[in-house]
């Protein structure tokens, strides 16, 4: 018998001072059985960082042909493709060919560093690709905020992202590897 996804609800109050975006979003997140709290919360962080009225979750973990988050225009063109993890070069090139902008978040510490050492020079030619790395310490702190019902205030300023739930606050500054 297949395991079902666990449903999480999150209400985000976003103040993005870098983009001058201010809004509230109510999210329903399906956490795949193979997904950790940390990775799910990274999806929330990525949503907050790229918040837009048309930003939507893709099937992510359960499929290879959709990103974790994306913005599609009314004509079906992909404006933004956001993916988490360490996809292979072919997947990244395919995403860059399909979308106007591609953003990749890596998060596995030493594994992400080795992945970047192997692919970084090959990916440098992709003008529409931005790569950020989230430290293992930041990922662990993000995981601590996970709850079935979340009410998060998110402030983004000078590249730093502050997530607070009333009891705890986590500040994350992604390392830009490309972009």
């Amino acid at each position: 018998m297949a395991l079902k996804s666990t449903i999480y609800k999150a209400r985000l109050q976003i103040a993005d001072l870098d983009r001058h975006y201010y809004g509230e979003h109510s999210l329903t997140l399906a956490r795949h059985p193979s997904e950790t709290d940390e990775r799910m919360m990274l999806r929330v962080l990525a949503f907050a960082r790229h918040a837009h009225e048309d930003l939507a979750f893709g099937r992510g973990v359960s499929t290879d042909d959709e990103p974790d988050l994306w913005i599609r225009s009314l004509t079906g063109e992909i404006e933004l493709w956001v993916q988490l993890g360490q996809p292979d070069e072919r997947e990244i090139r395919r995403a860059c060919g399909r979308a106007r902008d591609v953003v990749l978040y890596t998060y596995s510490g030493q594994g992400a560093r080795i992945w970047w050492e192997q692919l970084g020079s090959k990916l440098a030619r992709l003008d529409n690709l931005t790569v950020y790395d989230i430290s293992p310490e930041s990922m662990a702190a993000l995981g601590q905020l996970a709850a079935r019902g979340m009410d998060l205030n998110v402030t983004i300023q000078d590249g730093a992202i502050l997530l607070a739930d009333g009891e705890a606050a986590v500040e994350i500054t992604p390392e830009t590897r490309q972009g």
Side-chain angles (χ1 to χ4, degrees):
M1 184 166 172
L3 296 173
K4 292 185 178 187
S5 294
T6 304
I7 303 300
Y8 288 75
K9 301 272 188 179
R11 190 172 73 77
L12 303 180
Q13 290 281 348
I14 302 169
D16 186 338
L17 304 172
D18 292 346
R19 295 187 303 140
H20 304 288
Y21 177 89
Y22 308 92
E24 181 177 323
H25 294 270
S26 294
L27 308 177
T28 300
L29 300 132
R31 193 182 114 205
H32 191 273
S34 67
E35 186 175 38
T36 63
D37 283 345
E38 290 84 2
R39 187 181 189 286
M40 180 192 68
M41 291 304 295
L42 182 56
R43 286 196 290 142
V44 171
L45 178 130
F47 186 97
R49 188 151 198 226
H50 302 282
H52 183 278
E53 64 184 26
D54 297 325
L55 184 62
F57 288 103
R59 291 182 279 180
V61 173
S62 62
T63 184
D64 290 336
D65 62 343
E66 281 189 19
D68 290 285
L69 296 157
W70 57 358
I71 296 175
R72 296 180 71 143
S73 70
L74 294 175
T75 60
E77 295 175 1
I78 302 169
E79 301 290 327
L80 176 66
W81 179 291
V82 178
Q83 192 161 348
L84 312 180
Q86 300 162 21
D88 64 33
E89 181 184 359
R90 190 184 94 254
E91 282 182 69
I92 297 168
R93 287 187 181 283
R94 185 173 61 219
C96 287
R98 292 177 65 192
R100 188 181 55 149
D101 291 307
V102 176
V103 179
L104 180 62
Y105 288 89
T106 61
Y107 57 89
S108 64
Q110 179 71 1
R113 188 183 59 72
I114 292 169
W115 173 85
W116 183 248
E117 286 173 359
Q118 293 172 348
L119 291 182
S121 61
K122 295 175 186 174
L123 300 178
R125 295 184 295 266
L126 300 172
D127 294 335
N128 62 336
L129 175 67
T130 302
V131 180
Y132 297 107
D133 185 60
I134 308 297
S135 71
E137 298 79 21
S138 293
M139 287 298 292
L142 267 179
Q144 296 298 311
L145 292 176
R148 295 287 297 273
M150 296 176 271
D151 193 6
L152 298 171
N153 292 310
V154 182
T155 304
I156 302 169
Q157 185 174 14
D158 299 328
I161 306 160
L162 178 69
L163 293 97
D165 68 1
E167 295 179 20
V170 174
E171 184 172 345
I172 296 173
T173 303
E175 176 190 344
T176 303
R177 294 220 163 131
Q178 177 173 323

